[in-house]
Amino acid sequence: MTAPKKLFIKTYGCQMNVYDSERMAEALGGQGYVETNTPADADMILMNTCHIREKAAEKVYSELGRFKALKVDNPNLKIGVAGCVAQAEGAEIMRRQPAVDLVVGPQSYHRLPEMEAKVRGGGTALDTDFPEEDKFEKLKSRPKAARGPTAFLTVQEGCDKFCAFCVVPYTRGAEVSRPVSRILDEARNLVERGVREITLLGQNVNAYHGLGANGDESTLAKLIWDLDKVDGLERIRFTTSHPNDMTDELIEAHGTCSKLMPYLHLPVQSGSDRILKRMNRSHTVESYLKVIERIREARPDILMSGDFIVGFPEETEADFQATLDLVKEVKYGYAYSFKYSTRPGTPAAERAQVDAAEADERLQRLQAQITSDQREIQESMVGRTVSVLFEKAGREPGQMIGKSEYLHAVHADVTGIAKGDIAQVRIVEAKTNSLRGEVV
Ligand code: 5AD
Ligand code: SF4
């Protein structure tokens, strides 16, 4: 028997990339690869990249420079670039960094085994097609190996909304939803392997419209109710949603489906209607707030999360103030804010840019507000009892760490609790990034 080849995957960016990296590891597992955590040991290094902001995309090249040096001691090493930078830049990557052997876009991962064989033979391989075939179906392997209690499951990919700042419609392509039956199969398989919580993923997950069992189009709410019936699955989450696709049945499910966790990531990007319009967001501040009001009616304890861009072209101080006001009004438990980054090929790239120092300063002010709200919400958890899905051992002996229904990290001293157990925990202390509790 030949020794297995070793695969090192480095994942950047969103949760969908985390899911994709697992699928790529499975696909290459069929070619005799096992994963390693040490790039110097690897026969293949795959970088699963992110193109959403310039910084993320540029990081790829500096990292590639480091990986290239490993080829000196290890002539067998092949280097591949996957993900959204691969999709956006294609062959340009090999021109800029000739040490790269393989470039594969997110819609072509099922072709990795052939591509691997080609680069092993001494060639290079490039595939950034948007093929007709269903990559998920082709990637489907049913490994029986046990795994941690939480998992991602991609149900929808791509975006047709074309926000003026965003590369996703170009790198991930048009919106595609997977059929319900395949998602349910995959969910059952995950549960058999120890998974208790599934996060449904999609760039526009609430626009999900996959084929249902009866031949009709399903919806995200219907899919959640289908998953609700899967025995052994205890928790369902989904991300990322667009405000315009928060349908009545989805809002209602937050109040009636006990497996659906009280946490919603609903990016708004800006609190100024003028900027929202220029962003091509097709919702207003008022319509966004209305959605939140209705979700809070359905599920009063829901924890809101959001994304913001500051310094979008033409943003004035007054526009930015409107964003701060919105943040104060909603009070997010989590919020992710970014300085606008010019992305080649997107409509906003051509417009008058906000002064960089000004944008930096706005970002700091926004983040200060977000941090203070986050802290306040975390502190308000003290004295409350939450349910925690324990995921792994904590730093100290006898301690375990898990997530509450609100996605807060909670650690507690435990006895008789195993990975994958859900327990009621009373929160006794709020730390900066986690909560400490006692099992009740
Ligand atoms: N510049 C800065 N942030 C961006 N995002 C998307 N495109 C850009 C960009 N060009 C942010 C949005 C999105 C999140 C995933 O990344 O807030 O919701
Ligand atoms: Fe990008 Fe807008 Fe689509 Fe989200 S909804 S992926 S921000 S284009």
Side-chain angles (χ1 to χ4, degrees), residues 52-53 165-166 267 269 307-309 338-341 343:
I52 198 96
R53 283 169 291 274
F165 48 81
C166 187
Q269 314 297 357
D307 286 343
F308 297 88
I309 295 178
F338 311 98
K339 191 165 87 161
Y340 170 70
S341 168
R343 307 312 290 127

Side-chain angles (χ1 to χ4, degrees), residues 104-273:
V104 60
Q107 305 310 330
S108 305
Y109 293 154
H110 55 294
R111 295 177 176 166
L112 259 179
E114 303 151 43
M115 296 176 77
E116 191 273 342
K118 196 168 161 214
V119 300
R120 274 295 144 219
T124 57
L126 169 81
D127 193 334
T128 52
D129 290 348
F130 286 99
E132 282 296 308
E133 69 255 27
D134 180 349
K135 75 163 175 186
F136 293 106
E137 198 46 18
K138 294 250 152 61
L139 278 170
K140 190 171 80 181
S141 59
R142 303 195 118 236
K144 286 286 174 227
R147 46 167 305 153
T150 63
F152 294 131
L153 203 174
T154 296
V155 302
Q156 178 278 337
E157 208 176 348
C159 181
D160 295 337
K161 296 214 162 52
F162 291 91
C163 297
F165 48 81
C166 187
V167 289
V168 165
Y170 314 97
T171 57
R172 293 275 174 171
E175 247 179 43
V176 179
S177 294
R178 298 176 64 192
V180 170
S181 60
R182 304 220 174 115
I183 294 165
L184 291 178
D185 279 351
E186 192 168 325
R188 289 191 200 99
N189 176 260
L190 288 168
V191 170
E192 275 170 36
R193 292 160 62 199
V195 169
R196 294 287 164 266
E197 172 181 306
I198 290 180
T199 303
L200 306 174
L201 298 182
Q203 265 99 22
N204 250 295
V205 72
N206 57 343
Y208 173 83
H209 58 98
L211 190 69
N214 52 5
D216 293 347
E217 267 195 0
S218 188
T219 60
L220 183 65
K222 292 195 177 80
L223 179 65
I224 288 166
W225 282 111
D226 291 337
L227 286 162
D228 181 69
K229 295 188 200 83
V230 174
D231 281 338
L233 179 63
E234 306 294 343
R235 291 174 154 195
I236 303 166
R237 304 182 187 276
F238 60 89
T239 197
T240 292
S241 297
H242 192 285
N244 284 4
D245 294 314
M246 287 306 299
T247 57
D248 292 346
E249 57 170 3
L250 187 56
I251 291 173
E252 212 173 284
H254 280 280
T256 48
C257 178
S258 59
K259 289 187 184 179
L260 188 57
M261 293 293 104
Y263 177 100
L264 180 67
H265 183 60
L266 198 62
V268 62
Q269 314 297 357
S270 169
S272 152
D273 281 340

